[in-house]
Amino acid sequence: MKYFLLGIFLSVFCFISTAHAVSKRVSSPNVSKGLAADMRGSLETDDELQDDFTNNFQLKYGLTDKFRVSVDTEFRKRQGQDAEFNNSDIEFRYNFFRNDNAAVAYSAGYEFNHSGDANAVFTSFQGEYKTGPWKHQANIGFDTEVGDESGDGFDYDFRSGHYYKLETIELGIEYFSDFGNSEDSDSFEEQEHHIGPVINFNIPVGQKNVNA
């Protein structure tokens, strides 16, 4: 592979609550053979204007155009605190349907938590539909804690992204909902709901230019 795809994700989220953590990533179901890298940064501001910056780096390798493995790391910097290595995970993804306008994939993996919480196993479905310059993506995910510090039940979340493609960038909006644990029946105020604008673009690295 002669290049990496380096995607930059910039967003500001609102409707912040204090429930479960939610990964700031709407994931595409598409799988491509070869090596690629993805980097995203997100900035959250709560009602008291306290900033929370998260940087996420993903290295992914497609063994075929249907199956890939990826490694993901996340660093977090809260206002007034030192930066911390939040978590990392390994994920396996299989794209079982794709045509010119739509795609569906399934993934499963294991998350290592480095901030003192329990590790987790997770699974997710990803879907995508394109119409003209618009691209719509949706994810439904489930995870459950494992190990000595694990709790009961499972967490589930929904994520969606809607993007308009220009010549070299995509403009859009993304929405994230973490509904909490199945054992707790959290109210809307106790759940996590985020919405914000997004800019996606590629930076060419190496011998081949991509969307530059």
Side-chain angles (χ1 to χ4, degrees), residues 45-89:
T45 300
D46 61 18
D47 294 336
E48 299 178 355
L49 300 181
Q50 297 293 309
D51 293 338
D52 188 349
F53 179 76
T54 301
N55 183 270
N56 183 280
F57 178 79
Q58 184 182 58
L59 187 65
K60 46 196 176 184
Y61 182 74
L63 284 77
T64 70
D65 285 332
K66 285 187 172 292
F67 180 75
R68 85 168 191 219
V69 59
S70 64
V71 177
D72 199 309
T73 61
E74 182 179 283
F75 293 86
R76 194 170 189 178
K77 174 67 170 69
R78 296 179 176 89
Q79 187 167 317
Q81 301 181 23
D82 294 332
E84 60 180 3
F85 184 23
N86 205 36
N87 58 61
S88 59
D89 65 60

